Amino acid sequence: MNVFKKLRNDYVIWHANRVKFPNFRPSIIVRKKVVFSGKVQKVGFRLEIYSIAQRMKLTGWVKNLKDGSVEAELQGEEVKIDFLVNCMRSLKRASVKNMTIIDLPIREAEESFTIVK
């Protein structure tokens, strides 16, 4: 890994760990597919989603798409998913121009959140 990428990743993890969570009210468990487009690749976007999702105990995955967008499937309490999506939309080092959100069926056996290469 080159030096710039390591520095960026260290910064992204530091930033994601500083995000303050509100006191979430319990809400229903849902699964959503979210596609973020704009300047969302090469800025640590996937790593930020991964880090925050893990802190909130969400399951699912995130990956880059060939068209330059980032796709994620997020499963967990709806208020936590909404919070994460809003965090990513307001991220300063990225520029989310458009978002598509689709409700999906829950995957019962899923236990973790991963970055898909």
Side-chain angles (χ1 to χ4, degrees):
M1 182 181 325
N2 70 32
V3 175
F4 171 75
K5 192 170 183 180
K6 182 182 180 339
L7 285 171
R8 185 201 62 207
N9 289 352
D10 289 348
Y11 171 78
V12 168
I13 292 167
W14 172 83
H15 185 268
N17 286 334
R18 292 191 62 225
V19 172
K20 294 204 182 338
F21 298 154
N23 289 325
F24 294 111
R25 291 179 173 242
S27 67
I28 60 170
I29 303 297
V30 298
R31 184 178 191 88
K32 295 185 181 191
K33 175 198 255 183
V34 186
V35 179
F36 300 91
S37 59
K39 185 181 178 217
V40 292
Q41 289 191 14
K42 299 191 183 336
V43 293
F45 202 83
R46 286 179 305 159
L47 184 57
E48 184 104 10
I49 289 176
Y50 172 80
S51 299
I52 294 171
Q54 282 210 308
R55 285 183 58 207
M56 290 195 294
K57 310 230 182 311
L58 299 177
T59 63
W61 51 264
V62 61
K63 69 178 179 180
N64 282 342
L65 298 178
K66 286 184 168 70
D67 68 0
S69 57
V70 171
E71 178 181 26
E73 284 194 14
L74 307 161
Q75 181 168 298
E77 290 187 55
E78 190 167 32
V79 292
K80 292 181 179 181
I81 292 172
D82 292 345
F83 179 84
L84 174 55
V85 167
N86 287 327
C87 278
M88 299 314 296
R89 190 173 25 203
S90 64
L91 198 61
K92 297 290 186 240
R93 69 179 179 279
S95 177
V96 176
K97 298 289 184 210
N98 206 348
M99 264 184 357
T100 306
I101 302 175
I102 301 167
D103 293 325
L104 297 173
I106 291 171
R107 292 199 182 153
E108 297 293 342
E110 193 171 66
E111 295 179 0
S112 63
F113 196 90
T114 58
I115 296 176
V116 178
K117 298 286 182 190

